[in-house]
Amino acid sequence: MTLLEVKNLKKTYATRFGNVKVHALTNVNFTAEKGEYIAIMGESGSGKTTLLNILATLDKPTGGEVLLDGKSTLSIPEKDLASFRRDNLGFVFQDFNLLDTFSLRDNIYLPLVLSGKGHKEMSERIIPISYKLGITDILDKFPYEVSGGQKQRCAVARALITNPRMILADEPTGALDSHSADALLEVFRDINSSGQTVLMVTHSVKAASNAGRILFLRDGEIFHQLYRGTRTNEEMFGVISDTLTAMATGGERDA
């Protein structure tokens, strides 16, 4: 079942005086099925962040459209975009984006508070999520009292608590040590295996090796797609590395 459709997506930025145009995205097309785990890779300037921002409805394309469950995000009135994001998308950021003056519990509750949910419903939702993520015993601590890995698990819990259609993760392991990164990647595998759709932007070959499909961007276009098939993580690591080398040395884009 197709969840996400990206059709002929283009994004052009003009310089301050409008005399030079930068093509951040050029005719990007792909779909994501419900329950897929997709990683997006590419060098800095390849268009990854621009693509993620458009998928998140934080930016609008110059051309083309994005459809979630068949509905174009361009048809959503500006005044309704914040609630659309809150109800449909879960976000996990590299720098956690937790509020230090809130307990971890209240940070996780925040999107539900903004949606007007009652305390009983919030309490019921947090129990299975916190148990699955192994953070039950730290919920009443504050962000500055826990490790980076624990902060990121709480950020994942905050993303999951609204039951989103899709998780958008922007370099989620970027600020973590190797042990915490491995633990977080295991969390992503677990939530994906339960049916959650995950789309992750990453520079990390190891992180991408956990995905079921990799989209490689170069100069604002999809250079190549790689499907896991029956490959192990170790085999994926090797194929991803080879593809990145081909991109860096001027290999030809997929037709």
Side-chain angles (χ1 to χ4, degrees):
M1 178 181 175
T2 300
L3 174 67
L4 177 73
E5 295 179 78
V6 177
K7 295 184 174 181
N8 305 314
L9 205 63
K10 301 176 178 68
K11 183 64 181 181
T12 301
Y13 295 99
T15 57
R16 182 178 177 185
F17 298 106
N19 56 339
V20 177
K21 291 185 176 180
V22 177
H23 300 286
L25 296 175
T26 307
N27 202 37
V28 173
N29 292 274
F30 70 92
T31 61
E33 301 299 307
K34 189 178 187 309
E36 266 202 283
Y37 185 174
I38 299 174
I40 299 175
M41 302 194 78
E43 295 181 344
S44 296
S46 63
K48 301 188 308 298
T49 299
T50 299
L51 176 58
L52 192 70
N53 286 341
I54 291 174
L55 297 180
T57 71
L58 298 171
D59 197 0
K60 291 189 175 181
T62 307
E65 62 179 344
V66 175
L67 293 92
L68 188 67
D69 274 342
K71 179 179 180 179
S72 174
T73 57
L74 294 177
S75 69
I76 304 168
E78 193 74 32
K79 63 182 178 62
D80 296 330
L81 282 174
S83 58
F84 171 83
R85 285 191 289 268
R86 196 165 55 238
D87 294 341
N88 294 279
L89 305 172
F91 298 93
V92 181
F93 304 95
Q94 177 176 340
D95 57 359
F96 319 128
N97 280 17
L98 298 174
L99 300 174
D100 274 340
T101 53
F102 282 21
S103 70
L104 296 173
R105 185 190 304 275
D106 288 339
N107 268 284
I108 296 167
Y109 280 162
L110 188 56
L112 296 183
V113 172
L114 295 173
S115 296
K117 304 297 183 186
H119 188 268
K120 182 175 184 293
E121 181 175 351
M122 293 191 291
S123 298
E124 289 173 350
R125 286 200 193 188
I126 201 172
I127 292 170
I129 293 173
S130 62
Y131 180 78
K132 177 184 288 187
L133 297 178
I135 55 173
T136 304
D137 59 340
I138 61 169
L139 288 176
D140 293 317
K141 292 182 179 292
F142 288 83
Y144 55 82
E145 297 179 305
V146 301
S147 69
Q150 290 171 319
K151 288 180 188 177
Q152 197 59 299
R153 284 174 180 252
C154 290
V156 172
R158 181 183 57 194
L160 289 173
I161 202 164
T162 59
N163 299 319
R165 285 183 168 86
M166 182 168 57
I167 295 289
L168 298 176
D170 186 9
E171 298 285 0
T173 62
L176 303 179
D177 60 54
S178 60
H179 176 74
S180 296
D182 288 346
L184 182 68
L185 292 173
E186 187 173 342
V187 166
F188 274 102
R189 286 195 299 272
D190 287 346
I191 64 175
N192 174 247
S193 66
S194 68
Q196 179 67 60
T197 307
V198 179
L199 196 150
M200 171 178 65
V201 165
T202 184
H203 280 99
S204 167
V205 175
K206 187 173 186 179
S209 299
N210 288 265
R213 177 160 53 120
I214 321 295
L215 300 178
F216 297 90
L217 289 185
R218 186 175 73 177
D219 299 329
E221 298 182 88
I222 293 180
F223 173 84
H224 183 58
Q225 292 191 62
L226 173 64
Y227 289 84
R228 170 179 292 278
T230 59
R231 294 185 180 100
T232 64
N233 281 14
E234 291 73 20
E235 290 168 334
M236 285 289 283
F237 190 100
V239 179
I240 292 169
S241 298
D242 290 345
T243 303
L244 292 174
T245 299
M247 290 171 65
T249 54
E252 291 298 316
R253 185 176 68 88
D254 282 356

